[in-house]
Amino acid sequence: MTNSVVLRNAKFVETTFSDGSKQMVGTVRGDSFVGLELPTKPNPRQFIGEANLNYKEMVKTLISEPEMFARKNSSGITIFASSCDSNGDGSFTITFGDEDGIANGGHTYHALKAHGRDVSQVKVTIEIGINRANIGKVAEALNLNKRLQVYSLKNKEGAFDWHKNCIEEKAADVIYHEGDSGTVEIKEEVAFLNLFKHDGETKKIDILLNIEQSEHANVSFLNRVNASSTFFENTLKWIAKDVHEIASYALFNEEFVIQLKPLKSSVGQNWIKKRGAEKKTGILKGIGLLLVAGLASVGVEVNRNGVVKWKQQYATYEQRKLFVDELFKKVFDIVSVEDGNASDIIRKDSVRKRVLKHSRLIHAQLAPRPVVKRRVG
C-alpha cells in the first residue's frame, strides 16, 4: 500500500548511486511541514512527547530565532521513500511504501509540524530505492550518529561546574560529556548525591522520595537538579566528595560483582554493568543506590543552617565502607529470592523499605558501645 504527500518550498540536488538508488539532498522552508502528515515507521527513536528537552529547544529556536533553525539542527530530517518527483513549481510529490517514512529527525519534524515558520529552513535528505532489507540497518545507523547528548551540551554551558567544585580532583572520575575519560556518568553521580537531599523548610530527608527520584535519573532529573544547583552546592558540598567515593566503592566492588554475577544464570537477574570507555565492570546503579540510600538514612544529620554532615559514627571512609559491606549482605539476601528482573526488583517499595529497616539495625549494631567506668574500692 502506498500513499503520497506534496512537500512545498523545497530545493534538492539529486545523486544516483551504482545500485540504482538515489539520494536527494536540499532545504525545505519550515512552514511547509505545518500540518503535514508523514509516516515515521523506519525511525527507531519515535517521538516521545513535547516534554523532551531537544524538542523544547527546537521550538524555542523556531519562536525566538527561526533563521537559525537549520544551523542548530544540522542533521535535519532523513526520509525513506519510493519516489520523489518535482512538480515544477518548487514542490515535490513524495510517494511512500509500507516501510517508508522518516528515518531520522522525528523530533525536528514534529517541531516544524507545530511551529514551522516561513523564515526557517531545514535540511532534508530523501533516500529513494534503498534495498528493503537494509532500511532498518540504515535507520539505526542514522540515529546512532546523533548530535551531542544533552548532558554534553549542558556541561559546555557550565551546568555542572557546581558539582566539579564540590568533588574537586575526583571530577576526573566523572563523565561530564561524551568522550570524557571517567567511569560514571554525571546522571548517576548526581543520583547518588540526591539521596542526601533534604527539605529546605523542614530539614528532613525523605529517603524513599529521594530513592524514587534518583532511580529515574534522566534529562528531566538533571534539569531539576541544575535549577537547584545553588541549594545542592550549599547544603551538600561538605559530603559530596565522600558520597562520590562511597558510591564508587559500591558500584565497582569486586566482591559484590562476584556474588551477584551468578544470579544471571541461576534466576535470570542481571545485576552487572560495564561503564566508561574502559568498560569497567560494576554493579547496576539501582542496587548501588539502595546501598548508599541505606547509609544516607542513618549516617548524616542536617544542622540548623541546612548543611548536611556525617554523624560521628560515619566520619571516616573506613566506617562508611564497613556499613556498606554489612548492608550488601542483607541486600543480596533480599534480591536473590525475589522474582522478576533486576530493574523491577529494585523499584519495589517493599524491597526499599526492607533495605532501610536493615540499615537501622546495622546502624545500631555498629554503634560504639559506651564505656562503663567501674568504681574502684
Side-chain angles (χ1 to χ4, degrees):
M1 181 178 178
T2 62
N3 68 296
S4 301
V5 299
V6 175
L7 187 61
R8 305 185 187 282
N9 305 303
K11 297 178 182 178
F12 290 106
V13 174
E14 181 177 309
T15 301
T16 301
F17 298 102
S18 58
D19 63 355
S21 63
K22 297 180 180 180
Q23 183 184 74
M24 299 177 68
V25 181
T27 57
V28 180
R29 211 169 74 186
D31 62 341
S32 301
F33 290 90
V34 174
L36 187 67
E37 295 292 337
L38 296 177
T40 60
K41 188 171 182 179
N43 195 344
R45 291 183 175 181
Q46 291 297 310
F47 182 60
I48 59 176
E50 296 181 359
N52 178 270
L53 185 61
N54 289 333
Y55 177 86
K56 287 183 176 180
E57 290 296 323
M58 291 177 195
V59 172
K60 181 179 177 181
T61 299
L62 285 169
I63 293 173
S64 61
E65 45 181 356
E67 67 281 356
M68 292 294 294
F69 188 79
R71 290 185 174 90
K72 289 189 173 184
N73 293 273
S74 57
S75 57
I77 301 171
T78 299
I79 299 171
F80 291 168
S82 299
S83 65
C84 180
D85 302 305
S86 173
N87 298 319
D89 59 354
S91 69
F92 290 77
T93 298
I94 306 174
T95 302
F96 301 99
D98 290 340
E99 301 298 319
D100 293 328
I102 294 176
N104 187 33
H107 286 81
T108 302
Y109 159 65
H110 280 279
L112 289 166
K113 183 180 177 183
H115 303 279
R117 304 275 297 279
D118 58 358
V119 291
S120 60
Q121 300 277 333
V122 66
K123 175 186 174 183
V124 174
T125 302
I126 301 177
E127 301 284 358
I128 303 166
I130 289 181
N131 188 302
R132 300 289 106 178
N134 293 328
I135 282 182
K137 296 177 183 178
V138 176
E140 183 176 359
L142 285 168
N143 277 270
L144 288 175
N145 186 24
K146 296 291 285 184
R147 63 178 63 86
L148 285 174
Q149 290 279 355
V150 171
Y151 67 86
S152 293
L153 295 172
K154 290 296 182 182
N155 178 67
K156 192 174 182 64
E157 296 169 0
F160 307 124
D161 287 352
W162 66 273
H163 185 260
K164 296 173 186 177
N165 292 336
C166 285
I167 68 171
E168 300 173 328
E169 76 279 0
K170 295 296 181 180
D173 300 336
V174 182
I175 301 172
Y176 290 102
H177 58 81
E178 290 165 283
D180 214 347
S181 58
T183 52
V184 181
E185 283 190 9
I186 181 60
K187 288 186 292 186
E188 288 189 329
E189 187 77 14
V190 176
F192 281 100
L193 192 58
N194 182 72
L195 294 171
F196 296 80
K197 181 191 67 178
H198 64 77
D199 182 278
E201 294 183 3
T202 66
K203 305 292 191 297
K204 302 292 185 182
I205 296 177
D206 187 338
I207 194 67
L208 285 173
L209 174 62
N210 289 353
I211 294 172
E212 181 68 17
Q213 292 174 343
S214 295
E215 174 58 32
H216 296 88
N218 51 23
V219 172
S220 298
F221 168 79
L222 275 183
N223 288 337
R224 290 195 300 271
V225 170
N226 284 327
S228 307
S229 60
T230 301
F231 177 79
F232 266 74
E233 184 171 10
N234 289 342
T235 60
L236 298 171
K237 62 182 176 182
W238 302 108
I239 65 167
K241 190 188 295 188
D242 295 336
V243 172
H244 165 79
E245 290 177 340
I246 198 62
S248 296
Y249 173 76
L251 288 176
F252 300 110
N253 189 299
E254 292 182 5
E255 291 299 319
F256 296 174
V257 171
I258 290 171
Q259 292 183 61
L260 287 166
K261 203 167 187 177
L263 294 182
K264 183 175 182 180
S265 56
S266 62
V267 293
Q269 298 171 7
N270 183 19
W271 295 101
I272 310 303
K273 178 180 179 180
K274 294 183 181 294
R275 291 177 172 82
E278 297 180 1
K279 300 297 181 183
K280 188 173 181 179
T281 301
I283 64 175
L284 232 99
K285 179 192 76 174
I287 195 167
L289 285 173
L290 291 180
L291 295 172
V292 179
L295 180 61
S297 69
V298 298
V300 296
E301 53 193 5
V302 183
N303 69 18
R304 61 183 182 181
N305 296 318
V307 175
V308 180
K309 292 191 174 184
W310 296 110
K311 293 178 181 176
Q312 188 60 37
Q313 185 175 337
Y314 302 99
T316 70
Y317 178 54
E318 292 303 320
Q319 290 169 317
R320 296 188 288 270
K321 279 173 54 179
L322 177 59
F323 177 91
V324 169
D325 288 341
E326 292 300 314
L327 183 57
F328 175 79
K329 298 173 186 177
K330 301 300 181 181
V331 171
F332 179 82
D333 290 341
I334 293 171
V335 302
S336 60
V337 297
E338 287 283 338
D339 293 326
N341 60 48
S343 59
D344 289 336
I345 291 171
I346 56 182
R347 292 191 176 103
K348 290 182 179 180
D349 197 50
S350 59
V351 169
R352 293 172 178 176
K353 288 180 178 179
R354 288 169 67 190
V355 171
L356 295 180
K357 179 181 178 180
H358 283 298
S359 298
R360 292 190 293 271
L361 294 173
I362 293 170
H363 172 69
Q365 293 167 4
L366 296 179
R369 297 289 181 262
V371 177
V372 179
K373 294 183 179 181
R374 293 184 178 180
R375 183 178 298 176
V376 179

